[in-house]
Amino acid sequence: MEKATVMKKYESQIKKVLITKEEIEAAIAKVGKDISDSYDGRPILLVSILKGAFVFMADLCRAITVPCEIGFMCAKSYYSSTVSSGAVKITMDLEQDISKYHVIIVEDIIDTGRTLNDVVKLLRAREPLSLKVVTLLDKPSRRLVDFKADVSLFTIPDHFVIGYGLDYAEQYRNLPYIAECDPK
Ligand code: IMP
Ligand code: MG
């Protein structure tokens, strides 16, 4: 396909910017400072849920000014569409023994709540020193299981969103802002 045709379709699915790059930066700077202030020299392990949270993780860890380690898990609940499949599958697990860490789960978005509900249960069973959840976005109106993050940077209405790590059919993760998606 010609580049112009590809770009036309690509751009037409970006409906409206909901949260700008600057708004995201400011919110992350604040959370990074809060974490740096409150963990008081204790061993921190940031656990990011791939793929969606990779951009948030990269920026949040650089806003933290105290020693911290990072780890990745892959949990899948969406399969190339905007509809949740209902099943959460851990396709890649952590390599660390988390019992020596204060774990902070770094998530991109909480929608139905199923993914984090399962991930939190799994990690709690491994008895970390403490466990907290920080999410960039929260769509509380879509909850199917009762789940609340310890820190949520932005609460959004029931729109399917893309950008800053979040995808539609695996694309748009590289947008520097959060936008509403118009799937075509
Ligand atoms: P939950 O298990 O329904 O809470 O869904 C969580 C996962 O679904 C997130 O970690 C995202 O990867 C994905 N997800 C939920 N809502 C959106 C959205 O609006 N855009 C892109 N991905 C989403
Ligand atoms: Mg995710």
Side-chain angles (χ1 to χ4, degrees):
M1 233 192 289
E2 215 185 313
K3 186 178 176 193
T5 317
V6 171
M7 287 312 293
K8 201 170 163 213
K9 181 168 181 224
Y10 183 76
E11 281 159 7
S12 75
Q13 296 191 118
I14 307 172
K15 193 170 168 189
K16 185 174 118 198
V17 177
L18 286 182
I19 308 168
T20 65
K21 186 170 174 275
E22 291 72 24
E23 287 169 327
I24 297 171
E25 269 168 21
I28 290 179
K30 188 182 172 301
V31 176
K33 187 177 182 310
D34 289 348
I35 292 173
S36 309
D37 290 346
S38 61
Y39 277 77
D40 228 8
R42 290 174 291 169
I44 303 173
L45 177 66
L46 301 175
V47 173
S48 161
I49 316 291
L50 294 173
K51 299 176 200 167
F54 85 106
V55 180
F56 180 37
M57 172 71 141
D59 283 345
L60 181 62
C61 74
R62 286 178 293 173
I64 294 174
T65 53
V66 294
C68 70
E69 295 181 36
I70 61 167
F72 295 97
M73 283 179 85
C74 197
K76 287 215 172 105
S77 65
Y78 274 79
Y79 299 96
S80 303
S81 88
T82 59
V83 183
S84 172
S85 68
V88 177
K89 221 172 108 193
I90 307 292
T91 55
M92 188 185 91
D93 206 341
L94 288 168
E95 47 190 35
Q96 292 92 341
D97 166 9
I98 66 170
S99 65
K100 299 173 183 67
Y101 294 96
H102 291 274
V103 170
I104 304 175
I105 298 178
V106 178
E107 177 60 312
D108 52 357
I109 186 164
I110 308 178
D111 185 27
T112 65
R114 283 185 185 125
T115 307
L116 274 189
N117 202 49
D118 282 17
V119 170
V120 163
K121 261 193 222 151
L122 184 82
L123 295 190
R124 266 202 207 295
R126 298 179 189 173
E127 303 185 332
L129 297 173
S130 69
L131 184 65
K132 288 226 185 294
V133 174
V134 176
T135 186
L136 176 72
L137 305 172
D138 192 3
K139 280 199 263 190
S141 61
R142 294 251 316 156
R143 237 19 139 258
L144 292 177
V145 300
D146 184 23
F147 187 89
K148 219 173 161 297
D150 297 285
V151 179
S152 164
L153 280 64
F154 300 96
T155 299
I156 60 168
D158 182 13
H159 295 313
F160 193 79
V161 293
I162 47 173
Y164 200 76
L166 291 126
D167 73 304
Y168 169 59
E170 291 300 327
Q171 294 190 331
Y172 302 101
R173 295 191 195 274
N174 52 323
L175 295 177
Y177 50 81
I178 303 282
E180 192 180 331
C181 180
D182 187 10
K184 299 235 162 77

